[in-house]
């Protein structure tokens, strides 16, 4: 989503960071061409958030720059780091009160541009039930009689309830919106709750502080103001943190947090210099008197007391739509009165909004279905500034091949009346004027869901109750999760919890029951064999390519001898774990190579000369990491293109083998696997990919969303296609996660219907391997799916899902493929023992 009137830099920052550090560096993004030049008017700016009276009303001021203290190495006679941490915990547990003027502070530079900004991270507390907390976007105040809280993103709502007898983590985490405002800051990797409260409330704070940490190390001492502090190194998987603990009082005065990932995120791909991320607990005191003013709260007149915080769009559901006045391009006003008796779809967009280019074609699909129904009215309301011409709006729709009616928002009702701060956003208003549904952002399946909702409304049935019921169920699940999470007593982010991965024990070698395997040869010349790719030969035996280590491809002949070794021309810190290959219309063969979490994919010609690496500058401007690459003819010209899936927010891209970016789609998050579908009438191949929701997304060759496959109870992390029976369409197989380290194979069709499933053994492979392989083990007839499991077993499944056979190879599997030698089927296996060719023989009929 794109925030309205968003700064260009803020558009580059991940959610939860941009809100806290509106950096003044012009890095990472350029201003969209048609983005408004003028500021938002005063009446559509968010109201000033109500700040409770007391010390937190003032801006946090660091005691001194984080890099300024005089550091001293450890000295003989100083306490051990474990004793220092224990003394800190003891001091906080014994204290009846605490107060600070804390701040999270970030410093960075890019050339001559500097940033040094702080955001509140302050706490005042008197046991058992007085609190003032101002952390990131969350504010909470409890005076012992009443509890108030709000998120600065929802300034007109004040959560209010009677004070508990004793405050606890549940009081600040029970409300989802407050918890979100409280926990989505850069310090959450260290503790999901404010560190001060962790020390004051947790039964054993060290379980969190030392979670998966190395042995703590005393780095020496340093001074903050006039206070000498021990500096204790606590290194966890996310990086090194340094705790500054007062040598006299054991008060925690500073935490230096790992900043490398934050530097990459806010740098928009450019490497920042001198990045530091620090929590300064300024003026922190244990056991001192806290003024009563610290716990006073004054409700702003325009704010409403509520039992739970909720986005304005959710609070509107089932209620009359707010007053608004839009204008279509013919000058006609569109108001609640003009829409009486109509079902209205109001879609908010802008010419400069990238995600809107994904959502508008989806809305267009639904418009085509209902445009002749006089009960339904669509209006795509542009929030562009008025200096953007009507013709510019029309030209944008022409470019997108969208014919939706266009409206404008001259009085900025989108932000003021609908309280929408980001686009794309959609509101569905029923014939009686009630808000029936709202949608923020873009999802591949939103067109299908919108069409279903409109059909319900046309039939005279409200739909808002369904959404409210779903929200209530989500709240219930959240509360169950929080209560379960709190019982663990380890207050790290839930996504950082490291569950134990089921370990697979390699089973003893067994033989298949349906056929016989006979070893033709075993090559032990490779040092570290991995994935296998078989390249068909023209009037010659197939060539067998095996990855050897992370930078070498070994070419093997049909006799198992090494025919050639190709050292890949890639960077010292780059690695390859998979190969793809295709032939262009010129008859030349191309290879692409990369690996999970790598920054670049490398293109080689048939002589293994590197032609290019893509993205070219990714080593200097790193991204979230490549997850998969597939080759497909996306333009119908006989020339293969690359489809790249990325971890995280970079989504999926298409690029030519010459390194030209064809398109990019960031609306699909975490594309771990891409598969190529049948070509269309023009010879262009469609794509299907996984995403972080566990569904499968269909994309046209030119990046148009074609739908989303949702199979009940399945969470897909892998998808592949193959022609198993020689007939269209291609067979489709996915892997669905049942539990961590447990997957099942699932056959399905492009309607999203499950055809079969097959549970696979528990465990995770220790090195990258193609998890699903299509191969022909019979002398003739259909091919089969082959699944190499982490326990060394190989599972063979027929195209219709019928279990074909299973056996144990007796060693860790590192690569699997099939080929034909002397016209007979052969199974190729790579393992730590080498590369082996096994002839497949069948009993005579």
């Amino acid at each position: 989503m794109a925030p309205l009137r968003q700064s260009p830099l803020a558009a580059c920052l991940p959610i939860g960071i941009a809100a806290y550090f509106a950096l003044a560096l012009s890095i990472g993004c350029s201003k969209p061409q048609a983005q408004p030049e003028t500021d938002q008017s005063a009446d559509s700016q968010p109201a000033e958030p109500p700040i409770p009276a007391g010390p937190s009303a003032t801006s946090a001021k660091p005691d001194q720059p984080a890099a300024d203290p005089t550091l001293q190495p450890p000295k003989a006679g100083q306490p051990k780091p474990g004793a220092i941490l224990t003394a800190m915990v003891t001091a906080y547990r014994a204290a009846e009160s605490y107060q600070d003027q804390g701040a999270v502070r970030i410093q960075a530079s890019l050339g001559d541009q500097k940033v040094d900004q702080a955001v509140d991270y302050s706490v005042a507390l008197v046991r058992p039930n007085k609190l003032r907390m101002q952390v990131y976007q969350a504010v909470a105040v409890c005076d012992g009689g009443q509890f108030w809280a709000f998120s600065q993103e929802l300034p007109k709502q004040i959560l209010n309830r009677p004070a508990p007898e004793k405050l606890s983590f549940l009081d600040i985490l029970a409300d989802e919106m407050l918890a979100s405002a409280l926990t989505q800051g850069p310090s959450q990797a260290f503790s999901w709750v404010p560190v001060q409260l962790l020390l004051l409330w947790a039964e054993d704070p060290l379980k969190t502080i030392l979670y998966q940490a190395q042995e703590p190390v005393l780095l020496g001492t340093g001074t903050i103001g006039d206070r000498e502090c021990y500096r204790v190194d606590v290194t966890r998987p996310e990086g090194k943190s340094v705790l500054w603990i007062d040598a006299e009082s054991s008060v925690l005065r500073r935490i230096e947090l790992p900043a490398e990932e934050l530097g990459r995120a806010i740098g928009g791909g450019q490497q920042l210099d001198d990045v530091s991320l620090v929590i300064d607990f300024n003026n922190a005191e244990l056991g001192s008197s806290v003024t009563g003013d610290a716990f006073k709260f004054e409700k702003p007149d325009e704010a409403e007391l509520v039992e739970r915080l909720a986005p304005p769009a959710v609070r509107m559901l089932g209620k009359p739509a707010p007053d608004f006045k839009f204008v279509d391009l013919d000058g006609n006003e569109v108001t609640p009165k003009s829409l009486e008796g109509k079902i209205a779809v109001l879609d908010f967009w802008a010419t400069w909004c990238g995600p809107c280019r994904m959502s508008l074609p989806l809305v267009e699909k639904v418009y085509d279905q209902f445009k002749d129904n006089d009960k339904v009215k669509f209006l795509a309301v542009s929030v562009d500034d008025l200096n953007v011409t009507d013709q510019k709006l029309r030209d944008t729709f022409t470019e997108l091949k969208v014919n939706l009616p266009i409206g404008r928002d001259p009085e900025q009702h989108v932000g003021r009346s609908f309280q929408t701060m980001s686009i794309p956003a959609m509101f569905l208003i029923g014939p009686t004027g009630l808000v029936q549904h709202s949608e923020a952002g873009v999802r591949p399946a939103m067109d299908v869901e919108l069409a279903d909702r409109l059909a319900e409304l046309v039939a005279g049935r409200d739909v808002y109750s369904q959404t409210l019921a779903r929200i209530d169920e989500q709240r219930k699940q959240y509360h169950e999760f929080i209560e379960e999470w709190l019982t663990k007593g380890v207050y790290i982010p839930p996504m950082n919890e490291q569950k134990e991965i089921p370990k697979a024990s390699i089973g003893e070698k067994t033989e298949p029951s349906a056929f016989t395997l006979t070893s033709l040869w075993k090559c032990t010349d490779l040092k570290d064999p991995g994935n296998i790719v078989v390249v068909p030969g023209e009037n010659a035996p197939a060539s067998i390519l095996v990855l050897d280590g992370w930078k070498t491809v070994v070419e093997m002949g049909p006799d198992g001898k090494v025919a050639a070794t190709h050292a890949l021309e890639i960077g010292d810190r780059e690695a390859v774990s998979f190969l793809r290959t295709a032939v262009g219309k010129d008859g030349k063969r191309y290879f692409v190579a990369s690996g999970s979490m790598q920054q670049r994919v490398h293109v080689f010609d048939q002589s293994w000369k590197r032609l290019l690496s893509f993205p070219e500058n990714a080593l200097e401007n790193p991204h979230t990491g490549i997850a998969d690459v597939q080759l497909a003819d996306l333009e119908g010209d006989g020339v293969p293109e690359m489809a790249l899936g990325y971890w995280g927010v970079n989504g999926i891209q298409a690029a030519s083998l010459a390194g030209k970016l064809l398109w990019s789609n960031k609306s699909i998050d975490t594309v771990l696997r891409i598969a190529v579908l049948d070509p269309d009438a023009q010879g262009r191949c469609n794509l299907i990919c996984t995403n972080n929701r566990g569904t499968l997304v269909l994309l046209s060759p030119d990046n148009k969303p074609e739908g989303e496959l949702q199979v009940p109870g399945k969470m897909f992390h892998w998808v592949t296609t193959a022609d198993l029976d020689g007939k269209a369409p291609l067979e489709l197989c996915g892997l669905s996660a049942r539990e961590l380290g447990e997957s099942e194979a699932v056959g399905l069709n492009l309607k999203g219907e499950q055809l079969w499933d097959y549970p696979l053994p528990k465990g995770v492979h220790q090195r990258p391997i193609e998890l699903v392989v299509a191969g022909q083990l019979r002398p003739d007839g259909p091919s089969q799916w082959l699944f190499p499991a982490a326990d060394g077993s190989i599972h063979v499944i027929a195209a219709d899902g019928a279990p074909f056979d299973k056996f144990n190879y007796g060693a860790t599997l590192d690569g699997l493929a099939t080929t034909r030698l002397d016209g007979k089927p052969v199974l190729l296996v790579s393992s730590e023992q080498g590369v082996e060719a096994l002839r497949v023989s069948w009993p005579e009929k």
Side-chain angles (χ1 to χ4, degrees), residues 183-234:
T183 60
Q184 290 195 25
S187 70
Q188 69 156 343
F190 187 82
S191 170
W192 206 47
V193 295
V195 177
Q196 305 97 312
L197 297 183
L198 172 72
L199 292 167
L200 290 162
W201 285 349
E203 183 175 341
D204 185 359
L206 293 184
K207 288 174 64 176
T208 299
I209 294 172
L210 299 179
Y211 180 73
Q212 294 189 331
Q214 301 174 16
E215 191 71 23
V217 176
L218 178 60
L219 300 178
T221 59
T223 58
I224 298 177
D226 60 354
R227 308 299 301 183
E228 183 182 35
C229 299
Y230 294 121
R231 300 171 59 247
V232 179
D233 172 350
V234 174

Side-chain angles (χ1 to χ4, degrees), residues 401-734:
K401 299 179 181 179
V402 169
N403 298 299
L404 288 162
I406 300 175
R408 306 207 65 157
D409 182 23
E411 298 180 10
Q412 298 184 337
H413 283 282
V414 171
R416 186 178 62 194
S417 300
F418 287 91
Q419 300 183 50
T420 296
M421 293 295 105
S422 61
I423 52 174
M426 180 199 306
F427 283 79
L428 181 57
I429 301 174
T432 61
L434 300 183
V435 175
Q436 297 283 340
H437 183 71
S438 64
E439 183 90 21
V442 55
R443 295 180 299 106
M446 63 185 291
D447 56 334
V448 177
E449 296 173 5
L450 176 59
D452 290 344
R453 290 187 177 97
L454 286 176
E456 289 287 297
L457 289 170
V458 169
R461 294 185 287 270
D462 288 328
V463 298
Y464 68 83
S465 57
Q466 302 171 16
T467 304
L468 290 174
R470 186 173 68 251
I471 291 172
D472 286 342
E473 179 61 26
Q474 290 171 346
R475 285 192 178 116
K476 179 181 176 183
Q477 293 174 1
Y478 171 80
H479 291 156
E480 291 174 351
F481 156 74
I482 285 294
E483 290 179 1
E484 179 183 355
W485 180 78
L486 289 174
T487 61
K488 298 177 181 179
V490 180
Y491 304 102
I492 52 101
M495 67 288 292
N496 285 4
E497 289 189 81
Q498 300 295 315
K499 297 182 179 179
E500 184 177 355
I501 298 175
K503 294 181 179 179
S505 299
I506 302 301
E508 294 185 4
K509 184 175 181 178
T510 61
E511 298 295 332
S513 57
F515 50 85
T516 301
L517 295 175
T518 304
S519 181
L520 295 178
W521 47 258
K522 180 181 284 189
C523 177
T524 59
D525 295 337
L526 282 68
K527 296 178 181 179
D528 190 14
N531 276 313
I532 306 171
V533 173
V534 176
V535 179
E538 293 184 9
N539 303 317
S543 177
I544 301 169
L545 302 177
V546 185
L547 284 171
D548 190 10
W550 306 104
K551 297 178 183 290
T552 304
V553 174
V554 173
E555 189 173 342
M556 304 181 69
D559 58 357
K561 305 290 187 182
V562 173
T565 299
H566 308 287
L568 302 181
E569 183 190 346
I570 60 177
D572 292 341
R573 296 187 179 183
E574 294 184 285
V576 164
S577 63
F578 60 73
L579 291 174
R580 313 284 185 245
T581 185
V583 177
K585 65 180 180 180
D586 56 3
K588 294 181 179 179
R589 180 168 292 279
Y590 297 89
F591 298 96
V592 297
S594 189
S596 182
M597 298 303 296
Q598 291 297 298
Q599 291 295 312
R600 302 193 298 178
V601 58
H602 311 283
V603 180
F604 300 89
D605 66 12
Q606 55 195 8
S607 300
W608 291 96
K609 177 183 178 182
R610 188 176 66 88
L611 302 177
L612 62 93
S613 297
F614 179 89
E616 183 179 6
N617 64 346
L619 297 183
E620 296 77 24
N621 303 301
H623 49 72
T624 52
I626 291 169
D628 187 29
V629 181
Q630 297 293 333
L631 293 172
D633 184 357
L634 300 179
E635 299 184 338
D637 56 1
V639 177
E641 283 82 31
M642 296 184 290
L644 296 87
Y646 290 86
W647 291 87
V649 297
N650 283 325
I652 181 171
Q653 292 180 339
S656 72
L657 291 180
K660 178 183 178 183
L661 179 65
L662 302 178
W663 50 259
S664 179
N665 185 338
K666 294 187 178 182
S667 71
I668 308 173
D669 195 316
T670 309
V671 179
L672 299 184
R673 190 73 179 183
I674 305 168
V676 182
L677 297 173
D678 295 281
D680 61 17
Q682 290 75 43
R684 306 179 309 159
C685 293
N686 293 307
L687 302 173
I688 185 170
C689 65
T690 61
N691 66 90
N692 65 340
R693 295 185 301 277
T695 60
L696 297 174
V697 177
L698 298 164
L699 286 175
S700 71
D702 54 355
N703 192 29
K704 296 288 192 307
E706 297 289 342
E708 187 171 15
L709 306 186
Q710 299 176 320
V711 179
K714 307 300 181 186
M715 293 289 291
F716 290 103
H717 60 90
W718 192 278
V719 65
T720 191
T721 56
D723 183 3
L724 298 184
D725 57 9
K727 299 181 295 185
L730 297 173
E731 277 71 35
L732 181 62
C733 178

Side-chain angles (χ1 to χ4, degrees), residues 235-566:
T235 298
R236 303 197 313 196
E238 65 270 15
K240 172 181 175 179
S241 297
V242 179
L243 281 64
W244 293 61
I245 301 170
D246 194 298
E248 180 181 348
S249 66
S250 294
V251 169
L252 179 62
R253 301 210 173 274
R254 173 176 291 159
I255 303 179
E256 300 172 15
L257 296 168
E260 182 178 356
E261 290 302 318
L262 178 64
R264 289 183 181 182
I266 67 175
Q270 301 187 54
Q271 184 61 47
L272 301 185
D273 299 319
D274 304 321
V275 182
S276 70
L277 177 62
V278 172
I279 307 176
D280 271 315
F281 303 97
N282 303 304
N283 304 319
E285 295 180 357
L286 285 171
S288 64
S289 176
V290 182
T291 174
D293 289 344
F295 308 115
K296 288 183 178 179
F297 185 84
E298 297 178 2
K299 183 184 82 68
D301 293 338
E302 68 275 12
E304 176 186 2
L305 296 179
V306 297
E307 293 182 358
R308 64 168 64 102
L309 303 176
V314 172
R315 292 172 61 79
M316 292 181 191
L317 289 174
K319 298 179 181 178
D323 191 31
F324 60 85
K325 183 171 69 175
F326 304 129
V327 181
D328 67 24
L329 296 192
D330 293 325
N332 301 310
E333 292 186 353
V334 180
T335 64
K337 184 172 180 60
S338 72
L339 295 174
E340 285 181 358
K342 304 285 187 183
I343 300 166
V345 179
L346 303 178
D347 191 58
F348 304 141
W349 68 285
T351 55
W352 46 264
C353 168
C356 298
R357 292 177 170 266
M358 296 299 300
S359 64
L360 285 167
L362 294 174
V363 180
E364 171 76 10
K365 284 185 178 181
V366 187
Y367 172 66
D368 284 341
Q369 298 178 44
F370 290 90
K371 62 184 178 183
D372 297 326
N373 189 324
D374 60 4
K375 294 181 179 179
V376 183
K377 183 176 178 62
F378 285 74
L379 190 66
V381 181
S382 166
V383 301
D384 285 283
D385 195 73
L386 296 181
N387 60 14
V388 177
T389 66
D390 290 355
Q391 189 57 47
K392 173 64 175 177
L393 306 185
R394 295 188 182 98
D395 290 346
T396 300
F397 272 31
T398 299
E399 177 189 348
L400 297 174
K401 299 179 181 179
V402 169
N403 298 299
L404 288 162
I406 300 175
R408 306 207 65 157
D409 182 23
E411 298 180 10
Q412 298 184 337
H413 283 282
V414 171
R416 186 178 62 194
S417 300
F418 287 91
Q419 300 183 50
T420 296
M421 293 295 105
S422 61
I423 52 174
M426 180 199 306
F427 283 79
L428 181 57
I429 301 174
T432 61
L434 300 183
V435 175
Q436 297 283 340
H437 183 71
S438 64
E439 183 90 21
V442 55
R443 295 180 299 106
M446 63 185 291
D447 56 334
V448 177
E449 296 173 5
L450 176 59
D452 290 344
R453 290 187 177 97
L454 286 176
E456 289 287 297
L457 289 170
V458 169
R461 294 185 287 270
D462 288 328
V463 298
Y464 68 83
S465 57
Q466 302 171 16
T467 304
L468 290 174
R470 186 173 68 251
I471 291 172
D472 286 342
E473 179 61 26
Q474 290 171 346
R475 285 192 178 116
K476 179 181 176 183
Q477 293 174 1
Y478 171 80
H479 291 156
E480 291 174 351
F481 156 74
I482 285 294
E483 290 179 1
E484 179 183 355
W485 180 78
L486 289 174
T487 61
K488 298 177 181 179
V490 180
Y491 304 102
I492 52 101
M495 67 288 292
N496 285 4
E497 289 189 81
Q498 300 295 315
K499 297 182 179 179
E500 184 177 355
I501 298 175
K503 294 181 179 179
S505 299
I506 302 301
E508 294 185 4
K509 184 175 181 178
T510 61
E511 298 295 332
S513 57
F515 50 85
T516 301
L517 295 175
T518 304
S519 181
L520 295 178
W521 47 258
K522 180 181 284 189
C523 177
T524 59
D525 295 337
L526 282 68
K527 296 178 181 179
D528 190 14
N531 276 313
I532 306 171
V533 173
V534 176
V535 179
E538 293 184 9
N539 303 317
S543 177
I544 301 169
L545 302 177
V546 185
L547 284 171
D548 190 10
W550 306 104
K551 297 178 183 290
T552 304
V553 174
V554 173
E555 189 173 342
M556 304 181 69
D559 58 357
K561 305 290 187 182
V562 173
T565 299
H566 308 287

